[in-house]
Amino acid sequence: MRKALIWLAVVVLVLAGLGWYAKNALELPLRLEAVPMDLTTRAQIPGIPNARYWVGVEIDTFARDVVAARQRELAWRQSQGLGGELPPANLLAVSGGGDKGAFGAGLLNGWTASGTRPEFKAVTGVSTGALIAPFAFLGPDYDDVLKEVYTSISPADILSPRSIIAAIENDGMADNTPLWNLIGEHVDQALIERIAEEHNKGRILLIATTDLDARQPVVWNMGNIAASGAPNALELSRQILLASAAIPGAFPPTMFRVEVDGREYQEMHVDGGASAQVFMYPPRLRDVLTSTGENAGRTGTIYIIRNASMTATWDPVERRTINIAGRAIDSLIHTQGLGDLYRIYATAEQDGLDFNLAYIGSDFVFENKTEQFQTDFMVALYDYGFAQARSGYAWLKVPPGMQAAR
């Protein structure tokens, strides 16, 4: 992540210095017209009108789908001869973190090995967490996939470097076609059908991206997409996962074709981490549900896997523009992640849910890291997360800062 952020700083600096040249001397990547501002929330994916939510500006459709999921859950339980009140809900949120997603993969698999991993009513994912989320949602049957992806890949499986000229003549410093191919290898029609099956039981899988044109977070309901039966459901699901992990400037954005009143536009989406490092649900959701007469008093537990360290890291910074900018962006992401945890904690307290946080502790040390997605680093971090969970993970009950960090 650090190297990607430094590259992002390079992009900003080069574009600022060579803006006129980029505009007048080069043929930049083309795109369709962006969705006009006043039509933003009306834009829909052709054939799948209920694919996503604009949670930054409205949550009515999100609340509607939560109610629909409850109804599907009740119907499924009745079909299984299960009556009475709904059981407490287990909710999982998996954060961004680049190659540090190996921690989350290891923790989930170690959790399985401990025999205490629950089935989750809802799973959310951002960036590398988006790549983990579908497999976490489908459960231990996909533990082998998580292990393979996070312990056997190398940088060549994620990106193909471009030249420095890409900063002004292209849309990313690296080509993420290798990541697209990796997603395609594991996210197939069989997986989409499994997601649809679980969706029909009332479970929820959400992935976040960021619409750069609107500067708004977009939350995609992967279950609605999978269950739609639309011919583009598989392709769209892969695009969403690619977009959620597209670090702006480092990787190309993902362009989504959308429609408003029969007219075609194109949205530019990047890493969900540009909006939040981790998310669960809008803080006002329970109030909105209550205002419609819905019973919003269900108890449950929130689990958060933060694929990052929570303690400040000391690193001397060279007095060079790129180093200073890269370090500052790294710091912004760190503090944003902390803010996300405080928001989720406040929501959990408000709604009477049990808060649980896992993150990379200061006891994990790896001194030989030289590049992102370095295989031996990811193996070590996977093993660390696995060992922590297999022996019974000591979940933190409040965000860092409210008590001493591990």
Side-chain angles (χ1 to χ4, degrees):
M1 179 66 77
R2 175 73 182 279
K3 186 173 291 185
L5 293 170
I6 293 175
W7 276 120
L8 176 57
V10 171
V11 172
V12 173
L13 294 168
V14 173
L15 286 177
L18 300 177
W20 182 92
Y21 181 72
K23 182 178 180 180
N24 296 280
L26 294 173
E27 184 177 344
L28 300 176
L30 301 177
R31 63 169 295 182
L32 298 180
E33 180 184 354
V35 181
M37 180 178 64
D38 59 331
L39 300 179
T40 295
T41 59
R42 293 181 54 204
Q44 295 184 346
I45 300 295
I48 314 179
N50 59 344
R52 77 268 182 86
Y53 318 108
W54 299 89
V55 294
V57 292
E58 58 89 20
I59 65 171
D60 290 345
T61 52
F62 188 99
R64 176 203 66 202
D65 278 3
V66 168
V67 173
R70 185 199 302 268
Q71 292 170 344
R72 290 194 305 274
E73 184 179 6
L74 286 168
W76 180 81
R77 286 176 57 83
Q78 185 176 16
S79 73
Q80 303 299 305
L82 301 171
E85 295 292 327
L86 291 175
N90 294 300
L91 313 176
L92 173 68
V94 190
S95 85
D99 56 3
K100 295 184 181 67
F103 168 72
L107 187 140
L108 283 164
N109 288 5
W111 202 352
T112 299
S114 75
T116 61
R117 176 176 163 182
E119 179 179 87
F120 303 107
K121 162 69 175 178
V123 177
T124 72
V126 175
S127 196
T128 196
L131 303 180
I132 292 172
F135 307 111
F137 178 75
L138 293 177
D141 286 350
Y142 286 83
D143 282 4
D144 289 345
V145 175
L146 280 179
K147 182 176 182 179
E148 177 185 346
V149 170
Y150 281 95
T151 63
S152 65
I153 64 170
S154 67
D157 297 300
I158 303 298
L159 58 90
S160 297
R162 293 171 172 168
S163 71
I164 188 66
I165 301 302
I168 56 174
E169 70 175 4
N170 220 313
D171 55 1
M173 291 300 299
D175 181 357
N176 57 357
T177 298
L179 177 58
W180 171 256
N181 293 335
L182 183 66
I183 291 171
E185 180 182 345
H186 297 289
V187 179
D188 56 15
Q189 187 60 37
L191 183 134
I192 294 299
E193 291 172 0
R194 285 289 309 277
I195 291 174
E197 289 174 6
E198 297 306 312
H199 168 84
N200 290 332
K201 297 176 184 177
R203 299 179 63 212
I204 300 171
L205 174 60
L206 305 175
I207 301 297
T209 63
T210 300
D211 182 335
L212 275 187
D213 298 316
R215 205 175 70 176
Q216 289 284 343
V218 177
V219 174
W220 301 81
N221 189 319
M222 307 300 284
N224 279 350
I225 294 168
S228 69
N232 58 330
L234 175 59
E235 181 84 357
L236 177 61
S237 298
R238 291 170 173 172
Q239 287 180 309
I240 293 165
L241 297 178
L242 185 71
S244 188
I247 302 169
F251 295 144
T254 298
M255 308 303 296
F256 290 93
R257 289 179 179 260
V258 297
E259 292 181 352
V260 182
D261 297 331
R263 181 171 177 178
E264 191 175 72
Y265 299 94
Q266 204 170 40
E267 296 174 348
M268 178 183 290
H269 286 243
V270 297
D271 196 329
S275 299
Q277 292 298 302
V278 64
F279 76 101
M280 195 65 257
Y281 60 83
R284 290 197 307 114
L285 177 61
R286 185 161 290 198
D287 286 343
V288 172
L289 292 173
T290 300
S291 70
T292 63
E294 290 293 330
N295 178 10
R298 188 172 181 177
T299 61
T301 302
I302 289 178
Y303 297 97
I304 302 169
I305 299 177
R306 180 69 177 109
N307 293 302
S309 169
M310 292 289 96
T311 56
T313 56
W314 185 90
D315 190 13
V317 181
E318 292 185 39
R319 194 170 178 178
R320 297 173 58 199
T321 303
I322 293 175
N323 298 72
I324 294 169
R327 181 67 167 172
I329 295 171
D330 197 13
S331 178
L332 285 171
I333 289 176
H334 175 76
T335 53
Q336 178 199 38
L338 289 173
D340 294 334
L341 295 179
Y342 281 109
R343 183 181 65 253
I344 295 174
Y345 177 74
T347 303
E349 285 285 289
Q350 163 192 282
D351 294 346
L353 300 175
D354 182 27
F355 178 93
N356 296 268
L357 170 65
Y359 61 89
I360 302 172
S362 57
D363 54 332
F364 175 75
V365 178
F366 189 90
E367 299 179 347
N368 300 313
K369 188 177 181 183
T370 59
E371 59 183 349
Q372 293 296 305
F373 303 101
Q374 183 174 317
T375 305
D376 58 346
F377 167 78
M378 296 177 71
V379 169
L381 189 52
Y382 173 92
D383 289 343
Y384 167 80
F386 185 93
Q388 291 272 316
R390 181 177 56 185
S391 60
Y393 192 84
W395 296 89
L396 198 66
K397 305 303 293 184
V398 297
M402 290 188 170
Q403 69 179 41
R406 293 187 297 114

